[in-house]
Amino acid sequence: MNLQRLFEPRSIAVIGASRSRSKIGSTILANIRAAGFTGKVYPVNPKAQKIGDLRCYETVEAIHGTVDVAVIVIPAQFVAAALTQCGKKRIPFAVVISAGFEEAGSEGAARDAELRRIAAKYKIQILGPNCLGIINTQSRLNASFASGH
């Protein structure tokens, strides 16, 4: 399995990007930009037209370019639908930061199993769920909610 597009993406969609600085989606978007990522960044939030100076997309499927990695940071009950959209968009990698899966009892375990089914159907490699994100200092990538750039 070639992981180059995961660790050295040319484009990233942040599903759950937010204008509110108190939200993790805002932190992840800010960290991507502060680290000096040179690829395309696509914020995805159906309630925003822009976040900062970036155009915001209602869904990942509305993005008109190729996306290498989707960072998903939305409530657990919506992750399966977002991952399905990523599959239809042919996004090869998803970083699922959202919590509320296998660690959250039987309901979360069912959500986790659904993610695995979707990932297998669309051939998406998943990092997560319930993870910090992904950092690769060599390619100036900080798609995480870790503090201290």
Side-chain angles (χ1 to χ4, degrees), residues 44-109:
V44 178
N45 182 328
K47 297 178 183 172
Q49 293 193 352
K50 287 188 98 174
I51 296 180
D53 62 345
L54 294 174
R55 175 185 173 193
C56 201
Y57 296 84
E58 189 169 334
T59 68
V60 75
E61 291 177 289
I63 297 169
H64 293 296
T66 300
V67 177
D68 291 332
V69 176
V71 178
I72 302 174
V73 57
I74 56 178
Q77 65 267 30
F78 304 117
V79 173
L83 191 63
T84 298
Q85 291 176 7
C86 291
K88 291 177 180 178
K89 179 76 176 157
R90 300 185 186 272
I91 299 172
F93 295 100
V95 179
V96 181
I97 293 179
S98 308
F101 292 89
E102 207 161 289
E103 82 284 357
S106 61
E107 187 177 321

Side-chain angles (χ1 to χ4, degrees), residues 8-58:
E8 298 176 4
R10 296 167 297 212
S11 56
I12 299 172
V14 180
I15 302 170
S18 178
R19 294 176 289 204
S20 172
R21 292 181 190 255
S22 65
K23 303 263 183 159
I24 294 175
S26 174
T27 302
I28 291 168
L29 188 60
N31 283 351
I32 289 169
R33 300 188 84 195
F37 179 69
T38 59
K40 295 185 183 210
V41 181
Y42 301 106
V44 178
N45 182 328
K47 297 178 183 172
Q49 293 193 352
K50 287 188 98 174
I51 296 180
D53 62 345
L54 294 174
R55 175 185 173 193
C56 201
Y57 296 84
E58 189 169 334

